[in-house]
């Protein structure tokens, strides 16, 4: 039995990982701001389904509204808190759990984007770790129902990468790896920041394109015009990451330089990158959409400012051309606030130098 675990944000990733932890016998409390989700989890448990190859299961869980968290004051302290909310909710979610952390407790960002600094600003770097969830393709379909739009990554693809900001492998990082390993393949990493930016590149390539076009992941990759634009987005993000000093890892099982050159017009690199992206479609269901497209469909705020917007901001500061990321950020913001409807023409008719 593990120590007491809190999952702040029991949505797609938090719900998926946490349900597997509960199934394995871990002591997990779920905290979420959506009342219907919390009440349904309390009544029916948390249901997990997959598009491919994995049987459905459901587990009874302890679920709290954010207004119920104060009852932790009467309980044993939290040893490990996973922050699984959207990036723009990171600060308040960390503030919420901070008073209930054990002296040796710590907080793990299990999110998209680069949120460890925000967490560390609240609890300190000594209590902050990160864990990347790579190509997890999960969705909160309904209250208490998380669906993964694929099967398990397993030996084919390591989904979770847990690490410390300073890069040393510690017992804490190994414990995070063990816990998320209940859900799928996991490893510790000595390169948290490189892994983080590499995952950001993957999100930069896919999320906003699906959100702004209204197309699923597979359809975006199938369209050559969109695929070229995706590689342009990735290329810009890679060049910014390199300039920031990150040691990038493989992205979509491709060397970062291959994606960068493909986006810069190298025909050989484009053929290699296209082949890899197209071959990856078989591991996704036809209906799978990344989280940002799910947010647009649900009328929610997106993470565009923390993904393509961040690349555009940092690239501008560094003097690196980031026109594709800047354009996509602008389009997605307009869709987010209702000024545009998602449509492929926003990108297929886009002309940038």
């Amino acid at each position: 039995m593990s120590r007491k675990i809190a999952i702040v944000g029991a949505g797609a990733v938090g719900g998926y990982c946490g349900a597997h932890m509960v199934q394995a016998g871990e002591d997990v409390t779920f905290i979420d701001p959506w009342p219907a989700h919390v009440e349904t989890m309390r009544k029916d448990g948390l249901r997990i389904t997959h598009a491919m190859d994995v049987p459905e299961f459901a587990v009874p869980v302890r679920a709290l509204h954010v207004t119920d968290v104060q009852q932790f004051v009467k309980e044993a302290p939290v040893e490990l808190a996973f922050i699984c909310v959207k990036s723009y909710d990171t600060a308040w979610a960390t503030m919420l759990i901070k008073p209930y952390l054990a002296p040796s407790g710590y907080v793990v960002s299990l999110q998209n984007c680069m949120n460890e600094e925000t967490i560390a600003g609240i609890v300190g770097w000594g209590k902050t770790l990160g864990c990347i969830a790579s190509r997890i393709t999960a969705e909160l379909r309904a209250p208490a129902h998380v669906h993964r739009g694929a099967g398990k990554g397993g030996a084919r693809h390591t989904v979770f990468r847990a690490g410390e900001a300073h890069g040393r492998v510690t017992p804490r990082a190994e414990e995070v790896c063990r816990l998320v390993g209940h859900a799928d393949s996991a490893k510790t990493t000595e390169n948290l920041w490189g892994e983080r930016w590499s995952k950001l590149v993957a999100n930069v390539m896919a999320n906003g394109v699906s959100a702004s076009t209204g197309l699923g992941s597979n359809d975006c990759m199938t369209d050559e015009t969109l695929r070229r634009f995706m590689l342009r987005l990735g290329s810009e993000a890679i060049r910014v990451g390199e300039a920031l000093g990150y040691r990038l890892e493989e992205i979509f099982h491709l060397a970062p330089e291959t994606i960068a050159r493909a986006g810069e017009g190298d025909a050989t690199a484009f053929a290699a990158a296209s082949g890899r992206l197209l071959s990856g479609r078989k591991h996704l269901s036809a209906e799978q959409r990344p989280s940002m497209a799910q947010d647009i469909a649900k009328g929610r705020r997106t993470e565009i400012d923390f993904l393509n917007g961040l690349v555009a901001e940092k690239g501008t500061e560094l003097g690196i051309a980031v026109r594709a990321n800047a354009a996509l950020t602008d389009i997605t913001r307009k869709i987010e606030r209702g000024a545009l409807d998602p449509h492929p023409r926003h990108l297929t008719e886009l002309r940038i130098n």
Side-chain angles (χ1 to χ4, degrees), residues 161-181:
R161 299 101 188 269
E164 298 266 10
H166 51 58
R168 298 188 299 275
V169 174
T170 63
R172 300 192 309 183
E174 290 171 341
E175 173 69 352
V176 174
C177 182
R178 183 187 72 81
L179 289 168
V180 295

Side-chain angles (χ1 to χ4, degrees), residues 86-87 111-115 196-209 211 233 237 240 290-293 295 302-315 322 325-326 328-329 332-333:
K86 295 293 185 180
S87 295
Q111 304 165 274
N112 286 334
C113 313
M114 311 287 284
N115 296 310
R196 254 302 167 226
W197 196 268
S198 299
K199 171 65 188 301
L200 183 139
V201 173
N203 289 144
V204 157
M205 291 173 63
N207 289 24
V209 173
L233 294 167
V240 171
S291 57
M292 194 178 296
D295 290 336
T302 74
E303 292 181 305
I304 191 69
D305 291 331
F306 297 85
L307 291 169
N308 304 82
L310 179 65
V311 172
E313 176 188 336
K314 294 297 184 183
V322 285
N325 279 278
L328 182 60
T329 300
T332 306
R333 285 173 180 162

Side-chain angles (χ1 to χ4, degrees), residues 143-285:
H145 177 201
V146 176
H147 180 76
R148 188 170 177 185
K152 300 274 189 176
R156 175 180 53 82
H157 175 76
T158 303
V159 174
F160 299 105
R161 299 101 188 269
E164 298 266 10
H166 51 58
R168 298 188 299 275
V169 174
T170 63
R172 300 192 309 183
E174 290 171 341
E175 173 69 352
V176 174
C177 182
R178 183 187 72 81
L179 289 168
V180 295
H182 293 311
D184 208 330
S185 50
K187 67 178 182 179
T188 57
T189 180
E190 298 177 350
N191 184 28
L192 176 65
W193 301 114
E195 290 276 14
R196 254 302 167 226
W197 196 268
S198 299
K199 171 65 188 301
L200 183 139
V201 173
N203 289 144
V204 157
M205 291 173 63
N207 289 24
V209 173
S210 179
S212 61
T213 62
L215 299 176
S217 297
N218 282 348
D219 288 337
C220 289
M221 286 187 282
T222 300
D223 185 288
E224 183 175 338
T225 300
L226 293 179
R227 191 165 67 252
R228 286 186 181 278
F229 186 69
M230 292 168 69
L231 290 165
R232 171 84 177 265
L233 294 167
S235 177
E236 292 179 357
I238 287 165
R239 296 309 187 206
V240 171
E242 290 171 340
L244 289 169
Y246 297 129
R247 177 166 53 87
L248 301 184
E249 305 282 349
E250 282 192 343
I251 303 157
F252 295 116
H253 294 280
L254 287 162
E257 187 62 21
T258 301
I259 294 173
R261 290 182 180 177
E264 292 163 352
D266 184 291
T268 302
F270 176 76
S274 289
R276 175 62 71 180
L277 292 175
L278 292 171
S279 69
R281 293 176 301 170
K282 64 178 177 289
H283 300 298
L284 298 175
S285 68

Side-chain angles (χ1 to χ4, degrees), residues 66-87:
V66 291
T67 52
D68 296 329
V69 174
Q70 60 186 307
Q71 68 188 250
F72 275 172
V73 75
K74 298 180 179 180
E75 303 177 9
V78 173
E79 294 283 355
L80 199 166
F82 287 95
I83 303 297
C84 303
V85 296
K86 295 293 185 180
S87 295

Side-chain angles (χ1 to χ4, degrees), residues 94-107:
T94 308
M95 287 292 293
L96 180 72
I97 204 65
K98 178 185 176 181
Y100 309 107
L101 286 175
S104 62
Y106 52 98
V107 178

